[in-house]
């Protein structure tokens, strides 16, 4: 509405400016013409009056009757207000015979002149006609006329013309405005409303196209465009609806498969009964980043005790879940074959078998670009009868909380299953991998009140807080130290609450696993042992 009103105002302003300019020029030209005509009329009147009075004064000048001449010119001045002065002169005399009270006019040589002050002076000779047809000049008459009445008469004549011109201008503007609004602005306003309706998604709006002028052509083009947009939109919506339904069906099928995969993955994790068999207390904080996880944990009985392990496989989601199935199967196979007496040897065997299962050595030897997968693994062999725990780790530490202090048994700084970083080739066989550092066993004596924890790096690497930094090992160690004497269920709750507050709604970056347990000791176990280490072959 504002744009349409401003358009009308701009058009009206242009018309007003144009008409005012033309009217002003016309008024100026009319003024010049009327003023010139009035001026010529004044000159003719002055000449006529001068000629008439000169003839009437011939007798008085001849007889030197200055009183009669004075009365005559005063009567003439009283009748004609345009006369400023009249002077009657005798021949060869500078002093006037008679003159008006306005003042004497300086002598003029021309018959009629006009000065800069708007005074027109007319001079006529006073002639005496004798009986024999003889003409004698006995004097001259000088009359000064003011041109002020010319200006006033011009203004009086132009004022009605200016009023008529103004009324005509206003009438023309009103008529033109109404016509412009009806023929141009109203259709444009309707077109704007329909365009806004199309922008809101109302594609059925149409404009009347019964006119044959430019507005009609514009309306017809708009209707064709609206019909095309409506057709394309309808087709696109139908396609989007079909694609959405297809994608929804595919997504449901994928999610059904992933949810079923979660059931399968959960089946490989130890049951609550297995965990309680050799552990006094335990808790598992297991938070997959996606539906399925790349982390898994193990708790199983072996010949001389039981094994607890936590693993972090490459990736998360479906790829990570595939790796957990492979790594879990290999770990259980190695435990079945080698037993758990030497955790370092178990890690070394898992390393070789994972690399062989994923063909890592062949691809590394061939130099082909391929994926590089593996896992981090922490493994504890617990021997309750001997009061001893043997730990070996591949980048996963074992945390021991006892007597209010926390001790960290670091794992070896290498992972399992990844391609070797370098090979020295002799012939066709890779040489040099056996020279890499083997894994290390670390022993610790079991005592009452000890709490053991193993976890993946997803917890300490989770970002949060005001600055978006990671949760960190220091924060985790403080939480575990403070809850060392609490029930493990409560410790789990404290860790989860602290993590949720720290995360503060941020997206989880990786799978999170934290396994805490306390060992059920036999009555005969009352002494603490010292840690010893040995190398895996």
């Amino acid at each position: 509405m504002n744009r349409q009103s401003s358009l009308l105002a701009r058009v009206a302003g242009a018309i007003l400016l144009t008409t005012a300019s033309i009217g002003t020029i016309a008024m100026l030209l009319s003024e010049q013409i009327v003023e010139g005509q009035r001026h010529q009329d004044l000159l003719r009147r002055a000449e006529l009056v001068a000629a008439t009075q000169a003839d009437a004064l011939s007798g008085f000048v001849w007889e030197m009757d200055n009183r009669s001449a004075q009365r005559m010119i005063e009567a003439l001045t009283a009748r004609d207000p345009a006369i400023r002065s009249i002077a009657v002169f005798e021949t060869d005399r500078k002093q006037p015979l008679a003159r008006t009270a306005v003042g004497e006019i300086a002598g003029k040589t021309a018959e009629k002149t006009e000065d800069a002050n708007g005074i027109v002076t007319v001079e006529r000779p006073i002639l005496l006609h004798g009986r024999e047809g003889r003409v004698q000049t006995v004097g001259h008459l000088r009359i000064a006329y003011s041109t002020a009445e010319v200006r006033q008469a011009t203004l009086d004549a132009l004022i009605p013309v200016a009023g008529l011109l103004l009324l005509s201008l206003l009438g023309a503007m009103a008529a033109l405005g109404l016509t412009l609004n009806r023929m141009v602005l109203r259709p444009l306003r309707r077109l704007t409303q329909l365009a806004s309706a199309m922008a809101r998604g109302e594609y059925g709006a149409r404009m009347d196209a019964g006119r044959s002028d430019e507005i009609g052509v514009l309306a017809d083009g708009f209707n064709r465009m609206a019909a095309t947009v409506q057709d394309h939109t309808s087709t696109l919506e139908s396609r989007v609806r079909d694609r959405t339904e297809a994608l929804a069906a595919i997504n449901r099928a994928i999610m059904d498969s992933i949810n079923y995969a979660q059931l399968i993955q959960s089946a490989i994790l130890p049951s609550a009964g297995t965990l309680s068999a050799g552990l006094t207390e335990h808790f598992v904080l297991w938070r997959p980043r996606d539906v399925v996880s790349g982390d898994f944990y193990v708790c199983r009985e072996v010949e001389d005790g039981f094994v607890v392990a936590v693993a972090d496989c490459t990736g998360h989601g479906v790829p990570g879940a595939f790796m957990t199935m492979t790594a879990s199967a290999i770990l259980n196979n190695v435990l079945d074959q080698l037993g758990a007496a030497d955790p370092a040897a178990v890690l070394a065997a898992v390393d070789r078998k994972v690399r062989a299962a994923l063909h890592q050595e062949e691809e590394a030897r061939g130099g082909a670009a391929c994926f590089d997968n593996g896992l981090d693994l922490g493994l504890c062999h617990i021997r309750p009868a001997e009061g001893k725990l043997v730990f070996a780790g591949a980048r996963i530490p074992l945390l021991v909380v006892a007597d209010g202090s926390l001790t960290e048994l670091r794992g070896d700084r290498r992972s399992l299953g990844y391609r070797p970083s370098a090979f020295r080739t002799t012939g066709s066989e890779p040489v040099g991998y056996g020279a890499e550092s083997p894994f290390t066993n670390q022993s610790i004596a079991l005592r009452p009140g000890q709490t053991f924890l193993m976890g993946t790096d997803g917890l300490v690497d989770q970002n949060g807080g005001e600055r978006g930094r990671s949760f960190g090992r220091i924060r985790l160690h403080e939480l575990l130290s403070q809850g060392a004497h609490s029930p493990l269920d409560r410790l789990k709750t404290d860790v989860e609450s602290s993590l949720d507050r720290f995360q503060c709604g941020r997206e989880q970056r990786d799978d999170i696993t934290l396994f805490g347990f306390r060992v059920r000791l036999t009555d005969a176990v009352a002494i603490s042992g010292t840690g010893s280490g040995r190398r895996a072959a």
Side-chain angles (χ1 to χ4, degrees):
M1 181 64 70
N2 291 336
R3 293 183 178 179
Q4 295 161 359
S5 299
S6 62
L7 177 60
L8 179 61
R10 289 195 294 269
V11 172
I15 296 174
L16 177 61
L17 180 61
T18 303
T19 308
S21 300
I22 295 175
T24 301
I25 295 173
M27 289 295 294
L28 292 175
L29 293 177
S30 299
E31 180 186 9
Q32 295 294 327
I33 294 172
V34 172
E35 187 174 1
Q37 292 176 350
R38 297 289 182 178
H39 194 273
Q40 292 297 325
D41 292 342
L42 179 63
L43 291 178
R44 286 193 293 270
R45 188 179 73 183
E47 291 176 357
L48 178 61
V49 170
T52 304
Q53 293 300 317
D55 291 340
L57 288 170
S58 60
F60 299 128
V61 175
W62 176 257
E63 297 174 358
M64 297 298 292
D65 188 355
N66 57 347
R67 293 182 179 179
S68 297
Q70 184 70 33
R71 286 195 299 271
M72 181 180 291
I73 62 177
E74 288 178 356
L76 181 60
T77 302
R79 293 190 188 99
D80 194 345
I83 297 176
R84 288 290 175 266
S85 63
I86 301 177
V88 180
F89 295 89
E90 293 179 287
T91 303
D92 298 332
R93 286 189 179 184
K94 294 182 179 181
Q95 295 297 326
L97 176 66
R99 62 181 180 183
T100 60
V102 176
E104 181 183 356
I105 304 300
K108 303 287 185 178
T109 58
E111 185 176 307
K112 58 180 179 178
T113 60
E114 182 176 359
D115 62 13
N117 296 322
I119 300 298
V120 176
T121 303
V122 179
E123 290 189 5
R124 297 292 295 180
I126 300 175
L127 302 177
L128 179 64
H129 297 273
R131 295 178 180 180
E132 299 177 355
R134 181 180 177 183
V135 179
Q136 180 181 359
T137 300
V138 295
H140 63 273
L141 174 67
R142 182 180 298 162
I143 302 177
Y145 267 83
S146 172
T147 60
E149 74 171 23
V150 174
R151 172 63 59 181
Q152 185 63 39
T154 302
L155 293 178
D156 294 340
L158 292 180
I159 286 176
V161 176
L164 181 61
L165 180 62
L166 179 60
L167 291 177
S168 301
L169 175 62
L170 295 177
M173 287 181 60
L176 184 59
L178 293 175
T179 304
L180 181 65
N181 182 67
R182 184 179 63 84
M183 299 184 65
V184 178
L185 296 182
R186 187 181 300 170
L188 289 180
R189 187 182 302 113
R190 174 62 177 165
L191 182 62
T192 303
Q193 294 173 351
L194 295 178
S196 300
M198 285 189 62
R200 294 192 300 268
E202 302 174 8
Y203 301 111
R206 297 293 184 272
M207 188 174 180
D208 297 335
R211 297 167 56 174
S212 59
D213 55 7
E214 290 81 356
I215 298 296
V217 174
L218 179 61
D220 183 65
F222 175 82
N223 292 337
R224 290 198 302 270
M225 179 192 69
T228 303
V229 171
Q230 185 178 19
D231 180 65
H232 288 179
T233 302
S234 177
T235 303
L236 181 60
E237 289 178 350
S238 177
R239 291 179 179 178
V240 170
R241 185 165 50 251
D242 295 341
R243 294 289 179 86
T244 302
E245 292 176 356
L247 290 175
I250 294 173
N251 184 67
R252 285 194 298 270
I254 292 174
M255 291 306 300
D256 289 342
S257 298
I258 293 177
N259 290 331
Y260 194 75
Q262 182 189 29
L263 296 177
I264 297 174
Q265 186 180 45
S266 299
I268 70 171
L269 300 176
S271 64
T274 302
L275 293 172
S276 301
L279 304 176
T280 304
E281 293 182 78
H282 69 274
F283 77 85
V284 179
L285 175 58
W286 191 60
R287 287 189 179 183
R289 201 198 79 160
D290 303 310
V291 179
V292 289
S293 175
D295 292 355
F296 71 95
Y297 55 94
V298 174
C299 182
R300 57 172 285 182
E301 292 185 6
V302 291
E303 183 177 356
D304 53 351
F306 58 95
V307 171
V308 174
V310 172
D312 181 4
C313 298
T314 303
H316 40 72
V318 174
F322 273 103
M323 278 297 301
T324 63
M325 302 299 292
T326 301
S328 176
I330 291 176
L331 175 60
N332 284 301
N333 178 263
V334 171
L335 290 174
D336 290 339
Q337 292 181 356
L338 299 181
D342 190 349
V346 173
L347 294 187
V350 172
D351 184 31
R352 289 192 300 270
K353 288 182 177 292
V354 170
R355 190 179 296 108
L358 300 179
H359 306 286
Q360 303 281 46
E361 293 185 3
E362 296 177 5
E363 292 166 350
R365 182 169 57 247
C370 62
F371 65 92
D372 187 16
N373 288 327
L375 70 152
D376 299 337
L377 178 63
L379 181 66
C380 293
H381 180 214
I382 303 172
R383 305 173 188 175
E386 300 178 13
K388 183 169 125 177
L389 181 149
V390 182
F391 166 75
R395 302 185 70 88
I396 289 184
L398 173 66
L399 304 179
V400 183
V401 182
D403 300 328
S405 63
L406 185 144
T407 303
E408 180 178 2
L409 302 182
R410 294 182 177 272
D412 292 290
R413 298 179 60 83
R414 52 170 293 188
S415 300
L416 308 180
Y418 292 97
R419 286 182 293 156
S421 58
F423 282 96
R424 292 185 292 104
T425 304
T426 302
S428 60
E429 294 295 330
V431 179
Y433 182 72
E436 295 185 9
S437 300
F439 298 98
T440 303
N441 286 325
Q442 302 180 64
S443 298
I444 183 171
L446 298 177
R447 300 193 307 271
Q450 290 176 319
T451 302
F452 301 94
L453 303 109
M454 284 190 297
T456 61
D457 57 4
L459 175 57
V460 296
D461 290 345
Q462 176 62 46
N463 62 323
E466 296 181 356
R467 301 183 180 180
R469 296 181 177 178
S470 61
F471 190 82
R473 297 183 182 276
I474 297 177
R475 191 190 310 270
L476 177 61
H477 291 180
E478 290 177 353
L479 281 173
L480 298 178
S481 298
Q482 293 171 1
H485 301 292
S486 303
L488 293 188
D489 290 342
R490 180 176 177 181
L491 178 59
K492 176 186 177 181
T493 302
D494 292 342
V495 173
E496 286 183 317
S497 300
S498 178
L499 176 62
D500 292 337
R501 289 193 302 269
F502 179 80
Q503 189 173 349
C504 194
R506 285 184 172 86
E507 182 181 359
Q508 185 172 325
R509 296 180 56 181
D510 197 1
D511 300 317
I512 295 176
T513 302
L514 181 64
F515 193 154
F517 61 93
R518 290 172 181 163
V519 180
R520 179 180 292 111
L521 301 176
T522 62
D523 296 337
V525 177
I527 60 172
S528 61
T530 58
S532 62
R534 75 180 189 79
R535 302 279 181 179

